[in-house]
Amino acid sequence: MATMAIKRGNSITGVRRNSGGYGSWMSIVILVLFLLLAPVGYFFGSGMYSSASIDENDFSSSISKQDVDWRAKLALQHIGSLFSKRVIDVIKANTDDLGPLSLDSFRKNNLSASWKFTGQEDVISNNSSPAEIKESTRKWTLTGKEEKILDGHPHSADTPAKLVRRQLRDKRHETRAADLVKKDDDAIIKLENAAIERSKSVDSAVLGKYSIWRKENDNENIDTTIRLVRDQMIMARVYMSIATMKNKTQLARELQSQLKESQRALGDATADADLNRSVGEKVKAMGQLLSKAKNQLYDCKLVTGKLRAMLQSADEQVRSLKKQSMFLSQLAAKTIPNGIHCLSMRLTIDYYLLPLEKRIFPRRENLENPDLYHYALFSDNVLAASVVVNSTIKNAKEPEKHVFHLVSDKLNFGAMNMWFLLNPPGKATIHVENVDEFKWLNSSYCPVLRQLESAAMKEYYFKSDHQSTGSSNLKYRNPKYLSMLNHLRFYLPQVYPKLNKILFLDDDIVVQKDLTGLWKVDLKGNVNGAVETCGESFHRFDKYLNFSNPHISRNFDPNACGWAYGMNLFDLEAWKKKDITGIYHKWQNMNEDRVLWKLGTLPPGLMTFYGLTHPLDKSWHVLGLGYNPSIDKKDIEKAAVIHYNGNMKPWLELAMTKYRSYWVKYIKFDHPYIRGCKLGE
């Protein structure tokens, strides 16, 4: 049995040996075949890969789609409890076009036109060739392997056609935005050019001495030395005050001494050209001293406080000087220049030396002829009256048909007669009367005369210690309001009872055209023909009348348009029918305490002729040459009458020189009386 067992074991061992030898042989065969077939498989696989790469994007896209669907479901599970279904639908609708927001979408430039992608070098333009488009899209398309490297899982890749369309669309958006910006820039440029043109039309002489539009202010560096000196003087005063406050007496004395030097160097100079040559040294010395003071004394809070105090003080001084200027302006408007006073005195003396028979004007029969053109002129200024008459006659087509009715006061009656006796107005008729000889014009008939004789009015005009000395009060204390020459315009039918129409002229006007056309104007039943002066918000009734008084508020419209005295055509027949003088007396009696209006003749004129004034064309009468420096030159030259209403009368030194030439050309400067009184100088 043992022998049999040994034999069986040997036989099994032999079998195992035989099978092990066979396996080794088979492994060797397989290895050899692999080595032989591996190169063939490699080249064959490469060819298959190239053919399969065409479908790789579709395969990747399907995987990416599944992945996106999975992520969308997961996101909805998390946010479902936070938002309503309506909100989630809106979010989904807004993201359907662009797909989910991911790093992959940024890499593929899947952005709207509002995003700016920095670092992009290859941009497809509308003019790009097909080869350029293909090359550009190749650079921006990621392969599936690259996606796996970047994100760890595949994402969908846009096709080249989609990229081209997107970049073309972005290019169109950019072009459209650039066009809109360009249109906005063009509109802004047009507005700027229009503003520049308007600024060029501003007359620098119109806006006054301190206008920033004046030509000398075009150069920012003009008169820089004067400005520097003045600035140094301001800072010197500041530091001198601080030095005194901090007991720095030596520094304060140095600043005071240098300040005096700067003041002497500046003097009355208004431009750098007027400065002394040594001013440069003064500026340098002051600069060094201010630097020293700054190092020792500078305190922002203290300096600011001192400058503020100086500003307030300067502001108070400006207000005070402005009041004084207005006061002096009103005072100058009331005065008579020495030359005109000299002329009046010499003419008066010579007139009363004339025999009675030589004091009579010719053609007296024309004074009451209603078929002629009659003018009413009330004045106590000989020179001004002569300009009105001379300018009217020189521009008249038929001078022989013009009649001038002059009325003056007792003081100037002789001078007015003598001047026109020596200088008759050609073939025209002229007559001079004395208002003090109108015996019917007395206090029992005329409310103004009665009021002027009252104690209250005398106190108002002549008492020296008035509570208010403002320029407005001074304006209404002008002596012309005391003269009946100013109120005589309300008594025209009484002065000229046989006339039908008369043209009233102030003595501060100049006639530039023939005025006979005014007599042909149909006043449509009204009494007064005048040029209206109201603008959008000024020269209306509420400027002249006290509408807090019930008598005014019940009878007048505060927005009613005002009109001007100075050139007025009056229908004396309609005047008598409407009893204009009686209406004037009624209102004047009610204003004895000056509660309806202040003094003057325009407010009662507006009330008296309310609803009875016919507006004339503005070219007949241009106003404002006595206060408005910005009247259009074309309006002045085409006007029939120009009016120097205001304080700057053409015979005063404060007259505006740009308007004075229209007035002086009607003065005979070679006349012996004019030369003798030096009126031409």
Side-chain angles (χ1 to χ4, degrees):
M1 290 296 292
T3 305
M4 290 179 63
I6 294 168
K7 288 182 179 179
R8 188 179 300 163
N10 290 338
S11 65
I12 293 170
T13 306
V15 173
R16 286 180 179 174
R17 286 177 182 175
N18 291 337
S19 64
Y22 176 78
S24 300
W25 179 79
M26 287 298 296
S27 299
I28 293 171
V29 172
I30 292 171
L31 178 63
V32 171
L33 290 175
F34 177 78
L35 293 175
L36 291 174
L37 296 177
V40 177
Y42 173 78
F43 289 109
F44 180 78
S46 299
M48 292 297 291
Y49 175 79
S50 62
S51 62
S53 62
I54 298 173
D55 299 328
E56 184 177 353
N57 287 334
D58 294 337
F59 177 76
S60 176
S61 177
S62 63
I63 295 175
S64 177
K65 184 176 181 181
Q66 293 176 359
D67 184 67
V68 169
D69 292 340
W70 174 81
R71 285 186 294 137
K73 292 178 180 179
L74 182 62
L76 287 174
Q77 291 177 1
H78 286 289
I79 67 172
S81 60
L82 299 177
F83 300 103
S84 64
K85 185 177 183 301
R86 184 178 178 183
V87 173
I88 294 174
D89 291 340
V90 171
I91 295 173
K92 183 177 181 302
N94 289 333
T95 57
D96 281 343
D97 294 335
L98 296 177
L101 188 61
S102 66
L103 181 61
D104 181 60
S105 65
F106 277 93
R107 290 201 308 272
K108 290 180 172 53
N109 199 28
N110 187 17
L111 303 174
S112 66
S114 62
W115 287 79
K116 182 178 179 182
F117 195 95
T118 59
Q120 182 177 347
E121 297 176 355
D122 299 319
V123 179
I124 298 176
S125 65
N126 292 330
N127 299 324
S128 300
S129 64
E132 292 173 342
I133 295 174
K134 183 176 181 182
E135 177 66 15
S136 178
T137 56
R138 187 187 67 79
K139 292 180 179 180
W140 287 97
T141 304
L142 299 177
T143 64
K145 292 181 179 180
E146 292 170 331
E147 291 176 355
K148 290 179 181 179
I149 293 172
L150 290 174
D151 292 325
H153 53 270
H155 284 275
S156 63
D158 289 337
T159 63
K162 287 184 178 180
L163 287 173
V164 171
R165 286 197 299 271
R166 182 180 298 111
Q167 294 186 12
L168 290 177
R169 182 170 63 251
D170 293 344
K171 184 67 176 178
R172 286 196 300 271
H173 291 171
E174 292 175 2
T175 304
R176 191 179 303 116
D179 291 340
L180 292 175
V181 171
K182 186 174 183 302
K183 289 180 181 179
D184 291 342
D185 292 341
D186 292 341
I188 292 173
I189 290 172
K190 287 181 181 179
L191 291 174
E192 290 177 350
N193 291 337
I196 291 171
E197 291 300 323
R198 287 195 300 271
S199 67
K200 288 180 180 178
S201 64
V202 178
D203 186 357
S204 62
V206 163
L207 297 177
K209 182 176 180 181
Y210 299 101
S211 171
I212 62 172
W213 294 96
R214 287 174 63 85
K215 292 181 179 179
E216 53 263 39
N217 287 317
D218 290 346
N219 183 3
E220 295 181 357
N221 296 322
I222 191 168
D223 299 331
T224 53
T225 305
I226 284 185
R227 295 181 183 179
L228 177 59
V229 173
R230 289 173 178 168
D231 290 344
Q232 286 183 336
M233 292 169 63
I234 291 172
M235 293 308 301
R237 291 190 180 95
V238 171
Y239 284 127
M240 186 170 65
S241 176
I242 296 175
T244 303
M245 184 176 63
K246 293 189 175 183
N247 295 324
K248 301 279 187 178
T249 56
Q250 179 62 29
L251 182 58
R253 282 196 295 268
E254 292 178 11
L255 287 167
Q256 186 176 14
S257 175
Q258 193 61 48
L259 182 61
K260 291 180 180 179
E261 291 292 330
S262 296
Q263 288 173 337
R264 280 195 290 267
L266 185 62
D268 297 328
T270 57
D272 285 356
D274 301 333
L275 292 172
N276 195 303
R277 293 182 180 178
S278 63
V279 71
E281 299 177 359
K282 301 291 191 299
V283 170
K284 185 177 179 180
M286 177 63 87
Q288 293 174 350
L289 184 58
L290 288 175
S291 179
K292 176 183 175 182
K294 181 179 179 181
N295 293 333
Q296 296 184 20
L297 304 172
Y298 184 76
D299 184 321
C300 183
K301 186 176 181 180
L302 274 177
V303 171
T304 303
K306 293 294 181 183
L307 288 173
R308 186 180 294 112
M310 291 176 65
L311 180 62
Q312 291 175 352
S313 176
D315 186 54
E316 291 176 0
Q317 290 180 3
V318 167
R319 284 199 297 267
S320 176
L321 290 174
K322 187 176 179 181
K323 272 187 181 179
Q324 186 178 2
S325 174
M326 294 178 67
F327 176 85
L328 294 175
S329 175
Q330 297 290 345
L331 187 63
K334 297 194 301 181
T335 59
I336 299 176
N338 288 335
I340 296 179
H341 182 70
C342 165
L343 178 64
S344 180
M345 292 299 99
R346 290 193 177 190
L347 289 170
T348 299
I349 293 170
D350 291 345
Y351 174 75
Y352 287 108
L353 293 176
L354 285 177
L356 293 177
E357 61 273 12
K358 292 185 178 182
R359 301 181 186 177
I360 302 174
F361 290 99
R363 296 181 287 276
R364 295 176 64 88
E365 65 279 3
N366 293 334
L367 296 177
E368 297 181 350
N369 185 349
D371 297 328
L372 301 179
Y373 305 110
H374 294 265
Y375 300 85
L377 176 60
F378 307 148
S379 176
D380 57 359
N381 188 325
V382 177
L383 192 63
S386 70
V387 170
V388 175
V389 174
N390 290 344
S391 63
T392 305
I393 295 301
K394 285 188 177 182
N395 292 286
K397 296 178 180 178
E398 297 176 303
E400 67 278 3
K401 293 184 178 181
H402 293 257
V403 181
F404 293 90
H405 301 267
L406 269 71
V407 179
S408 188
D409 56 9
K410 180 169 57 178
L411 185 62
N412 296 281
F413 173 73
M416 201 74 73
N417 274 280
M418 188 65 186
W419 177 263
F420 288 106
L421 286 171
L422 295 174
N423 306 279
K427 297 179 181 180
T429 303
I430 194 166
H431 181 62
V432 181
E433 296 181 89
N434 182 1
V435 67
D436 296 310
E437 293 179 358
F438 295 160
K439 302 302 181 184
W440 53 268
L441 197 63
N442 50 56
S443 57
S444 61
Y445 174 68
C446 177
V448 173
L449 278 177
R450 183 174 65 254
Q451 292 169 10
L452 290 175
E453 292 176 357
S454 67
M457 191 67 72
K458 289 179 180 178
E459 181 181 4
Y460 180 78
Y461 274 105
F462 301 110
K463 190 175 181 180
S464 59
D465 55 341
H466 293 290
Q467 293 181 354
S468 177
T469 57
S471 59
S472 60
N473 289 327
L474 181 66
K475 173 182 177 180
Y476 294 106
R477 293 190 181 96
N478 195 313
K480 71 179 182 179
Y481 299 122
L482 294 173
S483 173
M484 273 309 299
L485 287 176
N486 202 43
H487 296 270
L488 195 61
R489 63 192 70 191
F490 293 104
Y491 300 95
L492 291 175
Q494 287 81 2
V495 182
Y496 311 110
K498 296 185 179 181
L499 299 181
N500 299 327
K501 281 187 177 182
I502 196 167
L503 185 65
F504 173 79
L505 299 176
D506 271 342
D507 62 358
D508 55 353
I509 62 104
V510 173
V511 178
Q512 300 186 127
K513 293 182 180 180
D514 181 65
L515 299 180
T516 55
L518 284 169
W519 275 264
K520 300 176 184 178
V521 174
D522 182 11
L523 297 182
K524 299 179 181 180
N526 292 305
V527 180
N528 175 26
V531 170
E532 293 182 334
T533 58
C534 60
E536 293 182 358
S537 60
F538 55 94
H539 286 209
R540 297 185 182 272
F541 272 45
D542 58 353
K543 177 182 177 181
Y544 304 99
L545 305 177
N546 178 19
F547 274 87
S548 63
N549 188 286
H551 295 292
I552 298 295
S553 59
R554 282 199 303 263
N555 292 281
F556 302 100
D557 179 8
N559 294 317
C561 191
W563 46 268
Y565 270 124
M567 189 210 72
N568 304 81
L569 182 66
F570 290 112
D571 185 338
L572 300 183
E573 294 294 327
W575 184 306
K576 296 172 187 176
K577 292 179 182 178
K578 304 286 186 182
D579 190 21
I580 297 299
T581 304
I583 296 174
Y584 164 70
H585 283 173
K586 181 190 76 171
W587 289 114
Q588 193 68 52
N589 283 325
M590 294 175 64
N591 194 49
E592 186 169 0
D593 296 330
R594 300 184 301 280
V595 294
L596 304 184
W597 73 88
K598 295 182 180 180
L599 296 178
T601 55
L602 181 56
L606 295 175
M607 300 168 69
T608 301
F609 295 101
Y610 183 65
L612 299 172
T613 299
H614 176 74
L616 300 175
D617 188 271
K618 292 185 181 298
S619 62
W620 281 112
H621 186 191
V622 170
L623 298 103
L625 278 74
Y627 70 90
N628 185 2
S630 58
I631 303 175
D632 193 339
K633 186 177 181 181
K634 294 179 181 178
D635 293 339
I636 295 175
E637 292 177 348
K638 71 179 183 181
V641 172
I642 55 176
H643 194 172
Y644 293 84
N645 58 312
N647 289 334
M648 301 179 184
K649 303 298 184 186
W651 55 83
L652 299 175
E653 290 184 4
L654 50 81
M656 285 182 278
T657 55
K658 62 183 296 185
Y659 300 144
R660 202 166 185 269
S661 59
Y662 299 105
W663 187 79
V664 297
K665 66 181 180 181
Y666 293 105
I667 298 176
K668 300 177 181 179
F669 287 105
D670 58 344
H671 195 282
Y673 283 91
I674 300 291
R675 289 202 312 269
C677 291
K678 300 180 180 181
L679 282 168
E681 297 180 359

